[in-house]
């Protein structure tokens, strides 16, 4: 320790108030939850989803992709499709508009992608609401 009287009087340890810390943590959690909820409503829309049913008619210049989209009843979506070659390179990418008939939530769509090389797989990357 220090020699007595040489460096002045030592301060006493401050007593922390646990309720202040708890209140600050609670406010921080509420603000974070509100911010997360707002971002989810803006950017995270679970009603638009797609899955590939099959891809056929593979040639050196094309691939035919059949996929199913989940949209709000009678709604529409824009889906991004791509084709990749055996080495994983992207050989085609296209945005496709999907319109669901009235009363239908899961339309099946067939789209032909023109490719720059022989594709191995056709994929639906994502779907979103139309603007």
């Amino acid at each position: 320790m220090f020699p007595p009287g040489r460096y002045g009087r030592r301060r006493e340890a401050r007593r922390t108030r646990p309720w202040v810390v708890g209140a600050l943590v609670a406010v921080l959690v509420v603000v974070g939850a509100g911010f997360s909820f707002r971002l989810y409503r803006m950017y995270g829309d679970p009603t638009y989803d797609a899955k590939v049913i099959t891809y056929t008619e593979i040639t050196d210049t094309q691939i035919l992709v059949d996929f199913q989209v989940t949209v709000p009843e009678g709604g529409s979506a824009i889906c991004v499709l791509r084709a990749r070659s055996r080495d994983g390179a992207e050989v085609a990418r296209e945005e496709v508009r999907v319109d669901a008939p009235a009363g239908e939530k899961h339309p099946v769509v067939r789209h032909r992608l023109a490719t720059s090389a022989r594709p191995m797989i056709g994929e639906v990357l994502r779907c979103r609401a139309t603007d």
Side-chain angles (χ1 to χ4, degrees), residues 52-72:
V52 174
I53 298 170
T54 185
Y55 43 92
T56 56
E57 297 186 26
I58 298 172
T59 67
D60 290 341
T61 59
Q62 73 174 15
I63 186 170
L64 186 65
V65 181
D66 294 335
F67 61 100
Q68 183 179 30
V69 182
T70 302
V71 296

Side-chain angles (χ1 to χ4, degrees), residues 107-120:
V108 175
V109 180
R110 175 174 280 181
H111 186 75
R112 186 174 313 275
L113 280 170
T115 62
S116 60
R118 186 170 186 84
M120 186 184 110

Side-chain angles (χ1 to χ4, degrees), residues 36-49:
S36 298
F37 181 73
R38 182 169 182 208
L39 285 175
Y40 178 76
R41 292 206 45 199
M42 288 171 59
Y43 299 109
D45 195 352
T47 58
Y48 297 92
D49 189 26

Side-chain angles (χ1 to χ4, degrees), residues 53 77-78 97-99 119:
I53 298 170
I78 294 180
R97 182 182 173 101
V98 176
D99 295 314

